[in-house]
Amino acid sequence: MANISDVFSQLSGRPDRHSIFEDAQGILAGVLIASLGLFFMGKAHLVTSGMAGAAFLLHYASGLSFGLLFFLINLPFYILSFLRMGLAFTLKSFAAVAITSALVDVQSRYLTIGEINPVWAALIGGLLLGFGLLALYRHRASLGGIGILAVYVQDRTRFRAGQVQMAFDAIVLTFAFLAAPLPIVLASVLGAVILNVFVMVNHRSDRYSVLR
């Protein structure tokens, strides 16, 4: 979900200048916005990049809760997160994933959407998810997932983190082609592109270096 290998490299070794309250409100705001983006995507039966995309595919195939699946498939990555990014980042990311998982599943109690165009869901969902991720990154947290593994693989092999993440996203979208109509898959690709471009353009350490 978004190419966060560069984000991790920007965060590594930087002091955490936010207070506990600042982190708490920033992470809560981030997960609220991100979960709304995922909710829009789910209502249009879209997938996205990263582990959220994998969770969507499993959700559509099995009927199990997206939130539960998203929470469970992220569990193995916390070991790598601890090794690569440290305890504070790992705990914040665990909390962010857990809250997001719960929020996506309870959104329908408070928000009813009868029908949404897949392209519009991709646009709005991708932007909302991007905004949510930016908030999390600024408070040294993430929504877990393949980006952590990608950085870990890069440290130990000749493969770059971006290549690992792109390969995983390609696998997710390939399965989407097998499981969903072409318009839905194309809208999903659009949403993933919007998400990644938004994060790439708006998260720059040289521009926001004073904020941690």
Side-chain angles (χ1 to χ4, degrees):
M1 180 187 299
N3 189 353
I4 60 176
S5 59
D6 291 337
V7 175
F8 287 164
S9 65
Q10 292 167 12
L11 291 176
S12 297
R14 290 184 172 185
D16 188 350
R17 298 181 181 178
H18 288 124
S19 67
I20 295 177
F21 172 76
E22 289 170 337
D23 277 338
Q25 62 82 32
I27 292 172
L28 181 58
V31 297
L32 282 169
I33 297 170
S35 65
L36 184 60
L38 291 170
F39 179 74
F40 275 109
M41 291 180 172
K43 283 300 180 181
H45 300 285
L46 304 180
V47 299
T48 187
S49 59
M51 300 310 292
F56 273 131
L57 287 177
L58 293 172
H59 166 63
Y60 300 144
S62 67
L64 296 175
S65 157
F66 167 84
L68 176 62
L69 291 168
F70 184 56
F71 178 78
L72 291 177
I73 63 178
N74 268 297
L75 289 177
F77 295 97
Y78 296 120
I79 298 175
L80 300 180
S81 175
F82 173 74
L83 294 174
R84 183 66 173 80
M85 298 300 298
L87 180 61
F89 178 89
T90 302
L91 292 176
K92 292 176 188 178
S93 297
F94 178 86
V97 170
I99 298 172
T100 300
S101 299
L103 287 175
V104 172
D105 282 347
V106 303
Q107 290 270 13
S108 58
R109 300 182 185 180
Y110 311 105
L111 178 62
T112 301
I113 298 178
E115 182 178 355
I116 183 169
N117 182 279
V119 175
W120 188 246
L123 173 62
I124 299 301
L127 288 175
L128 287 172
L129 187 52
F131 272 110
L133 288 173
L134 285 180
L136 294 175
Y137 294 160
R138 299 297 291 279
H139 290 271
R140 297 181 61 84
S142 77
L143 287 181
I146 198 67
I148 297 171
L149 175 62
V151 174
Y152 189 83
V153 170
Q154 177 177 272
D155 287 346
R156 286 158 176 77
T157 72
R158 60 186 178 85
F159 295 103
R160 296 177 63 100
Q163 293 173 325
V164 176
Q165 188 160 337
M166 287 177 61
F168 181 85
D169 288 346
I171 293 172
V172 170
L173 292 173
T174 297
F175 276 103
F177 271 105
L178 299 175
L182 181 60
I184 295 296
V185 177
L186 293 178
S188 297
V189 172
L190 174 64
V193 170
I194 290 172
L195 165 62
N196 283 278
V197 170
F198 180 84
V199 172
M200 179 181 66
V201 170
N202 289 282
H203 189 90
R204 289 178 49 182
S205 60
D206 59 332
R207 183 174 293 169
Y208 304 110
S209 59
V210 296
L211 296 178
R212 302 290 191 264

